[in-house]
Amino acid sequence: MDFSLPEDLTAYLSELDRFIDQTIKPLEQRDDNIRFFDHRREWARTDFDKGGLPRHEWEDLLRQAKNLADEAGHLRFAIPKQYGGKDGSNLWMAVIREHFAAKGLGLHNDLQNEHSIVGNFPLVTMLDRYGRDDQKAMIEGALTGKYRITFGLTEPDHGSDATHMETTAVRATRDGVSGWVINGEKMWTTGMHVATHCATFARTSGNDGDARGITCFLVPANTKGVKVEEYLWTFNMPTDHPRVSFTDVFVPDDALFGEVGRGLSLAQCFVHENRIRQAASSLGAAVYCINESVRYARERKPFGHALSENQAIQFPLVELATQAEMLRLLIRKTAWEMDRMTQADVEHRLSDKVSMCNFWANRLCCEAADRAMQVHGGMGYSRHKPFEHIYRHHRRYRITEGSEEIQKRKVAGFLFGYMGAGKFETTEKSR
């Protein structure tokens, strides 16, 4: 059994580090772009006079970094080779994302915007697996920014259980064109302020609670009847998370995305990849907070002695460091196993481990950021240190990507034998 990382992976991490130092860091320092990452970050990123939306300068900077990463061959690493990618594995992506987040805040990797020089593109996965040829043709534009597709699944009254959504789509014909009329509301449709399309999920048949009968549509954002009702201000600003209404929105049949009545398959097609990568990012951010706290505790000398001599400082960080070490092994083992399974096998045989990684990493990151604030004292609480930003951002992941409770329910289903491939095995083994 060999736990060492492949040599080509460690070599690629070094290549990425050189690219960051030689290309991304200079851009980060140019024209006072550092304002987006230092104590001014929330103000610099947020246009408070325009509803709290991201400032254009901030989003333009992220696009510049992506373009540079794309030119260097890094941005598309995780996507199929046919779209210019490298078929990056789950293990490699997990290691890369932890590595990036452990560096702290920076233009190389800013998870508040799901931004990274090694991109994560769940909608590319959706288009590749479920799109028609004309929809797959949108992939290149989605990567370069020509197309911005938002995700309309959650509703004001329905979050984790999408099978009870109230948005409906019914068949209709207008001006001789066959299509659908959509009515309803969606929440957290991130990016609608710059979107070209919204992947909108609506019930087309069946009853509340049925997984079947939900269909996905690629609705052009400028379609009549599509309206941003409000942008919800959040714990971490800026906000690009609106509530969107769909009132008698007509779309032709070619707006169908995937099979009629099988829309939830699209929503689930990338959930495990997303969760394991996001867990790795939270682990990396936790490691950053731990390392910075250890460094500060060794340098700070109140009453003439290093802060690190106090067990009250040592022991909480020891516990966090221990959890980080154990979690890293679980994340990498789970990602490695995912690379050896089909999507269906991951769902039935490994989904519980993905959920373990995700909910524990998100909690660990919040605990590490909170401890870092405590160790750093008043400065830790200030925005001159990044810990409050890390806490406020990563706190969302205990709700999004499947809340902690949803993740635990998945683990419990496997553990107690009523979900997964091991269904009933627990009962049989106990006899």
Side-chain angles (χ1 to χ4, degrees), residues 26-235:
L27 176 60
E28 183 179 290
Q29 295 293 331
R30 191 182 308 151
D31 301 323
D32 197 31
N33 287 331
I34 197 64
R35 70 190 185 278
F36 296 113
F37 304 99
D38 64 17
H39 63 282
R40 300 167 290 174
R41 54 188 167 261
E42 191 168 49
W43 170 82
R45 297 178 182 194
T46 309
D47 193 335
F48 290 101
D49 294 329
K50 293 185 178 179
L53 285 169
R55 293 184 189 272
H56 293 306
E57 301 92 327
W58 166 231
E59 295 191 311
D60 288 345
L61 179 62
L62 297 179
R63 186 70 255 173
Q64 289 180 56
K66 286 185 174 72
N67 290 344
L68 291 170
D70 204 10
E71 292 171 9
H74 301 311
L75 184 69
R76 308 185 189 206
F77 172 82
I79 67 174
K81 290 181 179 178
Q82 67 191 94
Y83 304 117
K86 299 181 180 179
D87 289 319
S89 69
N90 287 295
L91 174 60
W92 280 48
M93 281 295 287
V95 173
I96 290 169
R97 289 176 78 82
E98 180 195 341
H99 182 73
F100 280 176
K103 289 177 175 289
L105 303 186
L107 187 53
H108 66 287
N109 190 70
D110 192 276
L111 293 173
Q112 184 182 3
N113 292 70
E114 302 299 334
H115 162 82
S116 178
I117 60 169
V118 176
N120 186 38
F121 299 105
L123 278 161
V124 169
T125 303
M126 289 174 63
L127 289 166
D128 180 45
R129 291 181 183 174
Y130 294 97
R132 302 184 307 270
D133 287 344
D134 62 308
Q135 291 170 334
K136 290 181 180 179
M138 300 175 67
I139 289 176
E140 180 63 25
L143 293 166
T144 60
K146 176 181 178 181
Y147 297 116
R148 296 286 297 271
I149 303 174
T150 62
F151 200 70
L153 181 64
T154 301
E155 298 187 351
D157 295 322
H158 305 284
S160 297
D161 186 6
T163 62
H164 285 80
M165 69 174 59
E166 296 177 44
T167 300
T168 61
V170 297
R171 291 191 178 275
T173 300
R174 288 189 179 177
D175 299 324
V177 177
S178 176
W180 301 78
V181 173
I182 303 172
N183 282 282
E185 280 194 334
K186 296 296 178 181
M187 289 280 283
W188 312 114
T189 45
T190 303
M192 279 297 289
H193 66 299
V194 290
T196 57
H197 297 77
C198 178
T200 308
F201 294 81
R203 182 163 291 285
T204 53
S205 64
N207 301 310
D208 287 347
D210 292 344
R212 291 286 184 95
I214 292 173
T215 303
C216 186
F217 302 87
L218 276 182
V219 180
N222 60 359
T223 303
K224 182 180 179 181
V226 178
K227 181 183 178 184
V228 172
E229 296 289 347
E230 62 176 330
Y231 282 95
L232 294 114
W233 286 40
T234 59
F235 200 23

Side-chain angles (χ1 to χ4, degrees), residues 327 330 351-361 407 411:
L327 180 61
L330 180 60
S351 190
D352 61 328
K353 300 300 189 299
V354 176
S355 288
M356 287 178 184
C357 293
N358 192 267
F359 89 78
W360 198 258
Q407 308 278 19
V411 176

Side-chain angles (χ1 to χ4, degrees), residues 233-278:
W233 286 40
T234 59
F235 200 23
N236 222 12
M237 295 293 279
T239 178
D240 57 351
H241 315 293
R243 175 171 61 89
V244 180
S245 63
F246 297 78
T247 305
D248 292 329
V249 174
F250 177 80
V251 291
D253 283 332
D254 63 9
L256 281 169
F257 189 13
E259 294 182 46
V260 173
R262 300 288 297 271
L264 286 186
S265 296
L266 280 77
Q268 293 292 321
C269 78
F270 55 84
V271 65
H272 295 99
E273 290 90 340
N274 253 19
R275 285 177 179 172
I276 198 70
R277 294 169 187 178
Q278 195 273 307

